[in-house]
Amino acid sequence: MCFLSSMLFCNTTFRHFQREEMGHFFQDQTSPKNFVNVISSNSTRSYGCYEGEDAFTFYVVALSVASIGLPLTLLAIFALYSLVQKDHVAGIYVINLLITDLIQICCFIIKVAINNKEICDVLRYIIHVTAVMVSICFMVVISLERYLVVAWPLWYRFRRSIKTSLIVCFVVWMLPLLNLPMFFYGGDYLETTVACFLLLPFPLLIFFLCGTLKALSATRSVPTEEKRQIVSILVLVFLIYTLMFLPRVIYSLAKNFRQDPIFEIVTITPVYFSPLADLVLYVFMRKGIADKLLASLCCKIECNDTGQSAMHEDSKTSGSPMQTDREDLEKKCEKV
């Protein structure tokens, strides 16, 4: 009897204790303080090497660029190799530019796949940043090469060779190694140093573009197709640099806004798309493709201008010379 009464007492005490503990548990979980902690822990969830509120955005962007850019970059490198065999010096620089893009894409793949802080820091602050610096250097070299073809044709013709181009590529690859101490001892001045390095090519690209346009307007020895190709490459390089890398400079200089997730996404994400933008250079390295695109664009603009001018004419005679010229121009545009 005493044994049964003691068992009932223990059972009642355990149920009462369990009820109180569960009540405290649900009360703690639904309290405002703990609710905020749960939300903050979810918002700082890590995706690979990416952490913080904008981690998922960078994770998706890196994964998308890697999946699209990896096969296309490999195809472009193999296709440009045929141009190098034909003594096309500019193709060597574009191949090296695509190799830097390939390194960046490999960094994206590793940063998405792993979550090791030491490896992530090496990828983020050394390998990826170095690849971006080399990429910008090769963009400047490509613009310089196109400028020399037009502005100093005789001097450059006797000095350009594959051997010289390989030496230039070696020097460009070695330049970022001078900045390695900055990553270890830069401290608070690291972002400022990166901004200064990224700003240096800006006046050079403007000078090469303006100098090439000025030289092309005065020369008659360069064929029209080659003029189009040279101008298109220079304009494209300048646009890639302006749209992809200048926002990164703004991020480095705007110290008070770096903690804002939206600001970080807007200024850092364009750098991730630079490997895809550089692939367009391959299109304009092929003379036939670039010439067809530019000829089609110019022809369509000319057709629109002719159509608008014809609408303001009073004569509506079917056999007028203006209408005949317009029909001939439309036929040319359809062929293009």
Side-chain angles (χ1 to χ4, degrees):
M1 191 72 178
C2 293
F3 176 75
L4 290 175
S5 61
S6 61
M7 289 293 293
L8 289 173
F9 175 76
C10 292
N11 192 16
T12 306
T13 305
F14 175 75
R15 289 182 179 178
H16 179 71
F17 174 78
Q18 187 179 19
R19 194 177 296 114
E20 287 183 353
E21 288 297 322
M22 293 298 292
H24 287 301
F25 174 79
F26 286 111
Q27 183 178 1
D28 290 340
Q29 291 298 315
T30 55
S31 62
K33 182 179 179 180
N34 286 287
F35 182 75
V36 172
N37 291 334
V38 171
I39 296 297
S40 61
S41 64
N42 289 333
S43 62
T44 57
R45 182 180 176 183
S46 62
Y47 295 88
C49 289
Y50 302 101
E51 297 178 351
E53 297 181 8
D54 51 2
F56 182 71
T57 302
F58 285 107
Y59 179 85
V60 172
V61 171
L63 192 61
S64 302
V65 172
S67 59
I68 298 173
L70 182 61
L72 293 180
T73 303
L74 291 174
L75 288 174
I77 291 174
F78 286 120
L80 283 172
Y81 181 72
S82 61
L83 293 179
V84 175
Q85 291 179 331
K86 298 176 182 178
D87 199 21
H88 201 292
V89 175
I92 298 177
Y93 302 132
V94 179
I95 287 176
N96 281 269
L97 176 64
L98 294 177
I99 291 175
T100 62
D101 296 334
L102 199 61
I103 295 174
Q104 296 180 58
I105 291 173
C106 292
C107 288
F108 295 157
I109 295 173
I110 299 174
K111 288 163 71 175
V112 166
I114 68 171
N115 190 10
N116 186 289
K117 189 178 185 302
E118 288 76 14
I119 298 177
C120 292
D121 289 341
V122 172
L123 290 172
R124 183 182 295 114
Y125 298 112
I126 298 180
I127 299 178
H128 189 200
V129 175
T130 302
V132 171
M133 289 181 176
V134 177
S135 175
I136 295 175
C137 290
F138 276 112
M139 291 171 66
V140 175
V141 171
I142 291 171
S143 298
L144 173 61
E145 194 270 341
R146 296 289 88 185
Y147 168 75
L148 292 176
V149 168
V150 178
W152 305 90
L154 294 177
W155 179 86
Y156 184 63
R157 186 177 301 171
F158 292 104
R159 284 168 176 78
R160 69 174 181 179
S161 63
I162 294 180
K163 182 179 179 181
T164 305
S165 301
L166 293 177
I167 294 174
V168 172
C169 293
F170 177 79
V171 173
V172 171
W173 279 102
M174 291 297 106
L175 279 177
L177 296 180
L178 300 175
N179 296 320
L180 283 180
M182 172 191 69
F183 298 113
F184 297 101
Y185 307 106
D188 297 335
Y189 300 99
L190 177 61
E191 287 293 340
T192 305
T193 307
V194 172
C196 293
F197 184 89
L198 294 179
L199 274 176
L200 284 177
F202 189 61
L204 294 175
L205 294 176
I206 293 177
F207 173 77
F208 295 147
L209 179 59
C210 296
T212 303
L213 292 175
K214 183 179 179 181
L216 281 176
S217 61
T219 186
R220 295 182 179 179
S221 59
V222 181
T224 305
E225 294 182 3
E226 190 172 354
K227 285 183 179 181
R228 289 175 180 172
Q229 186 191 31
I230 292 172
V231 173
S232 60
I233 290 176
L234 286 172
V235 172
L236 183 61
V237 169
F238 182 76
L239 287 177
I240 291 174
Y241 171 81
T242 304
L243 297 177
M244 303 297 168
F245 297 106
L246 281 186
R248 180 65 175 81
V249 176
I250 297 173
Y251 173 83
S252 298
L253 296 178
K255 185 177 180 180
N256 297 329
F257 297 94
R258 292 178 194 167
Q259 303 301 323
D260 187 2
I262 298 177
F263 178 77
E264 187 176 6
I265 291 173
V266 172
T267 54
I268 300 295
T269 302
V271 180
Y272 281 62
F273 288 100
S274 61
L276 298 181
D278 292 339
L279 289 171
V280 186
L281 279 174
Y282 162 73
V283 177
F284 286 91
M285 290 299 297
R286 314 291 297 193
K287 290 185 178 181
I289 299 176
D291 189 61
K292 287 181 180 180
L293 289 174
L294 294 173
S296 177
L297 180 62
C298 295
C299 191
K300 288 184 180 299
I301 294 174
E302 191 175 354
C303 287
N304 293 333
D305 292 340
T306 305
Q308 291 178 359
S309 61
M311 291 177 62
H312 295 286
E313 297 293 330
D314 293 331
S315 62
K316 297 182 180 179
T317 309
S318 59
S320 61
M322 181 176 293
Q323 186 173 359
T324 305
D325 295 339
R326 182 186 174 191
E327 291 176 354
D328 294 339
L329 185 60
E330 288 178 351
K331 290 180 180 179
K332 290 181 180 179
C333 292
E334 292 177 356
K335 291 180 180 180
V336 173

